[in-house]
Amino acid sequence: MDTHSPSPEAPPSATIGLAPPQFDLSALPPRILRELRASHVGETVAVSLYDGVAGATTDPEVLRFAASHRRVERRHLRLFEAVLPPDRRSVPLAFWRWSGRVMGGLPAWLGPPYFYAVVAGVEAWVDGGSPPIPTC
């Protein structure tokens, strides 16, 4: 039995023992490149949103939720980073990271209902639906 488990920061291909994928992005239509860039931004914001929670609350359930979701979003981000080279990514990534930290940290600081309402709203928007009406 293989006891080696790749670290959460390892590239996704390490999970199954494959080399990272290599893509010829020049063959893709501009629309697809824009979608890849937007998805990379979205995953960057998602990771930063959960990063923002750590210093904003001491609620153990919120911290556990954020850590668990951050791991998942970090895996998603690494997939896009494996495909999209730095020169094809959004230029203001520092702004997107800051925005995500504020979007996670401020509601976590206000309290769990606010934090969960923001997460639910973001997920509804990502899934293409209407955000739920907050109950806080």
Side-chain angles (χ1 to χ4, degrees), residues 43-100:
E43 298 302 340
T44 298
V45 171
V47 168
S48 297
L49 184 150
Y50 294 118
D51 284 345
V53 173
T57 185
T58 57
D59 184 287
E61 180 56 29
V62 170
L63 291 169
R64 185 204 60 74
F65 178 93
S68 172
H69 283 73
R70 184 195 184 280
R71 280 190 297 276
V72 171
E73 299 298 351
R74 183 69 185 127
R75 286 185 192 115
H76 297 165
L77 178 57
R78 284 194 321 271
L79 287 169
F80 285 101
E81 288 175 340
V83 173
L84 198 62
D87 66 320
R88 298 295 199 116
R89 298 174 189 168
S90 177
V91 173
L93 278 177
F95 169 76
W96 296 123
R97 287 185 190 102
W98 175 83
S99 298

Side-chain angles (χ1 to χ4, degrees), residues 113-114 117 132-136:
Y114 296 93
I133 296 172
T135 58
C136 35

